[in-house]
Amino acid sequence: MAREIIMDNSELAQILIRAVEEADSSDRLLDAVQELAAARIEESVPTLVAALGYNNPGAAVAAVDGLIAIGEPAVVPLLELIDDYNYGARAWAVRALAGIGDLRALDTLLEAAKTDFSLSVRRAAARGLGTLRWHQVPPEKVESVQTQVIEALVLISEDPEWVVRYAVVTSLEALATAMPAAVNNAITLPDQASRIRDRLQQMFDTDADLGVRTRAQFALQKIQQPQHQQLFALKTKQEESEVPHRGGGRR
């Protein structure tokens, strides 16, 4: 049964790939790429990657969605595309890599977030830094990678474009809340957690954009809430331990 499904997928991929290759108009190309992306078949990765370089933004968006859905098998072809001369294709590839969150794309995301001239690429890369798959990081390297990512986000939080700074806020929040539980019980070091909170507080206090300030305030509330719950639980446990058991104490 499993083999038949694989063969069916392969046959379907060939049909959908052929439709992309034979599309003779922008509309037909868009429809064909959308159908290929929706199939989420690993065999379609080369064709979806190639679609990033077409002069068809709609098809590129569909290809990005399809590559993100396919996930890890798309990472190496996308990284290879980064070295291409076609800037448009590289920009779409960064978006796809950001959505996948594979650690192999870390250097690419860091560079794009810091230096790319397109605000949409910087925004995508900044968001991708907050959704990395931390389970891929060996425990002994978690601290150094955390530090690298946090330092980059702090730097990018000074970006002149508000949409990039907004993305930084969401990533800092994600690092402070989701990452600790995802890395083999490794935790964010106290100084790193404090640095995240301090930077979010600074952005809430000083950012020129109301939307960024509001989002920073929300992030601060969200990352502080579990800490308050943990402190309350610890205090309650301590208080319970101090209460004498029934039958204990003086008679």
Side-chain angles (χ1 to χ4, degrees):
M1 177 66 72
R3 186 172 182 178
E4 292 178 357
I5 294 175
I6 293 174
M7 290 180 64
D8 288 344
N9 282 343
S10 180
E11 292 172 357
L12 175 61
Q14 292 306 314
I15 293 171
L16 296 175
I17 289 170
R18 192 176 308 116
V20 173
E21 295 172 343
E22 296 177 353
D24 57 3
S25 70
S26 294
D27 290 341
R28 289 184 178 179
L29 177 62
L30 172 58
D31 292 341
V33 173
Q34 286 177 333
E35 291 184 8
L36 180 61
R40 301 184 179 184
I41 300 173
E42 182 176 339
E43 192 174 345
S44 68
V45 167
T47 304
L48 292 175
V49 169
L52 301 178
Y54 300 158
N55 188 23
N56 190 317
V61 170
V64 167
D65 291 341
L67 292 164
I68 292 173
I70 292 170
E72 292 186 13
V75 172
V76 172
L78 286 168
L79 288 173
E80 292 174 349
L81 184 63
I82 296 296
D83 295 328
D84 194 2
Y85 64 91
N86 185 332
Y87 172 77
R90 294 202 309 272
W92 290 114
V94 170
R95 292 180 175 90
L97 289 168
I100 295 171
D102 193 287
L103 260 293
R104 288 172 290 179
L106 176 59
D107 291 341
T108 295
L109 295 178
L110 288 170
E111 181 180 0
K114 293 176 183 178
T115 65
D116 200 280
F117 70 84
S118 168
L119 70 89
S120 62
V121 173
R122 297 199 306 277
R123 175 183 61 182
R127 292 185 64 182
L129 291 173
T131 57
L132 294 169
R133 298 182 178 184
W134 289 96
H135 65 274
Q136 296 177 334
V137 183
E140 68 274 11
K141 294 185 178 180
V142 170
E143 179 182 348
S144 62
V145 176
Q146 282 186 7
T147 300
Q148 187 179 16
V149 171
I150 293 171
E151 288 179 351
L153 288 171
V154 170
L155 175 65
I156 302 162
S157 68
E158 300 286 353
D159 192 281
E161 299 291 343
W162 75 267
V163 292
V164 180
R165 302 195 304 275
Y166 192 101
V168 168
V169 172
T170 64
S171 288
L172 288 172
E173 176 193 314
L175 287 173
T177 57
M179 184 177 64
V183 194
N184 299 324
N185 296 323
I187 63 172
T188 303
L189 298 179
D191 58 336
Q192 293 176 332
S194 176
R195 189 174 187 186
I196 290 175
R197 291 194 301 272
D198 289 347
R199 185 58 195 141
L200 287 172
Q201 185 65 54
Q202 290 171 359
M203 296 179 77
F204 170 60
D205 291 337
T206 66
D207 197 276
D209 185 84
L210 176 61
V212 174
R213 295 198 305 272
T214 302
R215 187 64 181 81
Q217 181 184 35
F218 176 81
L220 284 166
Q221 293 172 345
K222 186 171 181 180
I223 66 178
Q224 290 170 354
Q225 182 178 3
Q227 294 175 353
H228 292 162
Q229 291 174 345
Q230 291 171 6
L231 289 173
F232 176 80
L234 179 60
K235 182 178 180 181
T236 301
K237 185 175 181 179
Q238 291 174 339
E239 291 173 347
E240 288 177 349
S241 66
E242 294 172 357
V243 175
H245 293 290
R246 186 171 298 177
R250 295 182 180 177
R251 291 184 180 272

